[in-house]
Amino acid sequence: MRTVQRRFTLIGAAVASVALLVAGCGTGPSHVGSAAIVGDTVLPLEQVQQRLDVVLKKEPEAQKLHDQRKLDQVARQLVTLGVQHELIEQAARREGVSVSEEDVTESVEQAGGAELASQNTVYDAATFRERARDQLLLVELARKYVDRMEVTFDYFFAKDNAEAVEKAKQVAADPEKMAEFVADAPRSAEGQTLSKEGQRVRSAESPQAAQSPLFGVPAGTVVAFAPDPSSAQWIVAYVKDRKTDVRSSGESSTEQLTPQLLEQIGLRLVHTLAGEPEIQVNPRYGLWDGTAISLAPSEGELSGYQATARVRQKS
C-alpha cells in the first residue's frame, strides 16, 4: 500500500481579512451559505468555517495568521480540498472505483498516524483520513486510464502568459486561427520548430505528459499554460481528439509509476471523469482554476486558460 503524502502546510498563508472569509455569500453561487457548488452538491460555508476553527485551535502558526488577519490562503485551501473531494467522489462513483477501509488505515499508519501526519497542515485526524481515501482513489482512477489515453492537438509556443491567453481566446472564438498561429510561430535558438499540427501523444508512452491539462479536457478545448513553471514561455494548444480506449502495444506501465505521479494523473482526470460538473465558487474565496485544479485568488492569478472552441456551422 502506498503512503499518503502530507499536503497543504500552513507556512506562507497570507493577505486579506478573515472577516471576509467567514461572512455569508452576498453574491456568487445561487445557494445562500455556500462556499462552493460542484454540480448539484453544495459545500456549506459553515463546514469551511468549522474546519478553519479546528486549524486555528491546533496550529500555532494559524493563530498567528488569525491575529494578523491573514487567513485567506488557509481558507482557500480548505475550499479547494472540499471541491476536489466532491469531484473525486463523483468520479469514483461514475467509474465504479473504490478503496477499502483497511487500505486507508494502512496508508494513514505508513504516514505516521493521523495525529502526527496532520500536524502543521489544514487537516485534523478525521479529515486526514478522508484525504488519505481521496488520494488512494485518485491513484486507482489513474491506474484505470493511464495506459489507455491518447490526445491529438495542434500547438504553438508563446513568449509569455499574456500573449498565450490572448491568442488562445482568439482560437477559441475562431479555431481556424490556430493554423495561422502555428505557421507564424518562431523557431528556437537551436532551430527547432516551436509549433506543430496534429501532434499525437499516448499516456502509455509518456505518462509524465498525462499530468498536463492536455489530458484533462475534452476534444474541442483550447488550453494555454506553462509546461515549465520556472519558464516564462507558455504553450497554446487546441485539443482536436481525445481517446480513453487506446490499446497499449506493450505491458502495462502502471507498476513502474510512483504513487505520487499516479495521484497527479488521477487529479488531472477527475473533473472529466466526474462528468464535467459546473464548479461555482463564492467569490470571497477566489475562483476555480481548472489548470491548477484548485482555487486562485483572482482572475489575474490563474495558472492557465481553458475554453471550448466555437465551431462554425457550415452553410
Side-chain angles (χ1 to χ4, degrees):
M1 182 49 58
R2 290 149 183 86
T3 302
V4 171
Q5 294 178 308
R6 294 173 62 182
R7 295 280 178 87
F8 296 103
T9 59
L10 294 169
I11 304 301
V15 262
S17 169
V18 68
L20 291 176
L21 300 174
V22 301
C25 298
T27 60
S30 57
H31 297 267
V32 176
S34 64
I37 306 172
V38 183
D40 296 326
T41 302
V42 174
L43 174 62
L45 195 69
E46 182 181 3
Q47 178 180 315
V48 175
Q49 181 57 48
Q50 288 173 348
R51 292 195 172 186
L52 190 59
D53 290 341
V54 169
V55 176
L56 284 170
K57 289 177 181 178
K58 79 182 189 73
E59 296 294 341
E61 187 69 26
Q63 188 58 54
K64 292 179 184 178
L65 293 170
H66 174 271
D67 295 341
Q68 298 168 8
R69 301 173 69 84
K70 296 179 179 178
L71 270 178
D72 68 315
Q73 187 172 332
V74 178
R76 194 174 299 116
Q77 288 175 354
L78 290 170
V79 179
T80 288
L81 290 170
V83 173
Q84 289 180 352
H85 172 73
E86 184 55 33
L87 288 174
I88 294 166
E89 288 280 297
Q90 292 183 23
R93 286 195 299 269
R94 286 171 58 92
E95 294 295 322
V97 169
S98 62
V99 294
S100 69
E101 290 302 310
E102 290 78 10
D103 285 346
V104 176
T105 297
E106 180 183 350
S107 189
V108 171
E109 289 176 351
Q110 288 185 8
E115 290 289 347
L116 178 63
S118 62
Q119 290 179 9
N120 196 36
T121 75
V122 295
Y123 310 111
D124 59 11
T127 54
F128 186 83
R129 184 177 179 86
E130 178 184 277
R131 184 59 176 170
R133 180 182 290 102
D134 284 351
Q135 289 179 298
L136 293 175
L137 285 172
L138 288 174
V139 169
E140 294 308 311
L141 288 168
R143 286 184 183 280
K144 185 174 180 178
Y145 284 99
V146 74
D147 286 326
R148 300 165 46 186
M149 297 185 293
E150 178 185 278
V151 291
T152 303
F153 56 97
D154 300 342
Y155 75 90
F156 64 89
F157 279 89
K159 62 182 180 182
D160 55 32
N161 63 326
E163 180 186 40
V165 172
E166 174 57 32
K167 289 185 175 179
K169 288 180 177 179
Q170 291 184 47
V171 174
D174 180 6
E176 292 183 6
K177 279 190 169 293
M178 191 70 195
E180 175 187 328
F181 290 141
V182 168
D184 291 344
R187 292 181 174 272
S188 69
E190 294 77 22
Q192 297 176 324
T193 182
L194 296 176
S195 63
K196 186 174 181 180
E197 291 185 291
Q199 177 69 51
R200 184 174 298 166
V201 178
R202 287 187 175 182
S203 56
E205 299 168 354
S206 303
Q208 292 283 348
Q211 302 175 85
S212 82
L214 293 167
F215 280 84
V217 297
T221 303
V222 180
V223 297
F225 61 97
D228 180 0
S230 64
S231 172
Q233 195 172 53
W234 279 40
I235 188 173
V236 178
Y238 178 30
V239 180
K240 302 169 77 172
D241 190 27
R242 179 180 184 273
K243 298 177 181 178
T244 58
D245 58 355
V246 177
R247 291 184 177 274
S248 176
S249 58
E251 295 182 1
S252 172
S253 62
T254 58
E255 295 306 318
Q256 284 74 50
L257 304 181
T258 66
Q260 292 78 18
L261 177 56
L262 287 169
E263 182 189 336
Q264 289 304 306
I265 293 172
L267 188 60
R268 178 56 63 193
L269 301 178
V270 74
H271 187 242
T272 301
L273 296 180
E276 299 179 23
E278 181 183 4
I279 300 172
Q280 303 175 64
V281 177
N282 185 324
R284 299 181 186 277
Y285 296 101
L287 69 164
W288 185 250
D289 184 344
T291 302
I293 322 174
S294 63
L295 268 66
S298 67
E299 186 174 358
E301 296 170 87
L302 290 170
S303 62
Y305 171 85
Q306 299 181 13
T308 301
R310 299 176 186 174
V311 180
R312 293 180 178 178
Q313 298 293 329
K314 295 183 179 179
S315 57

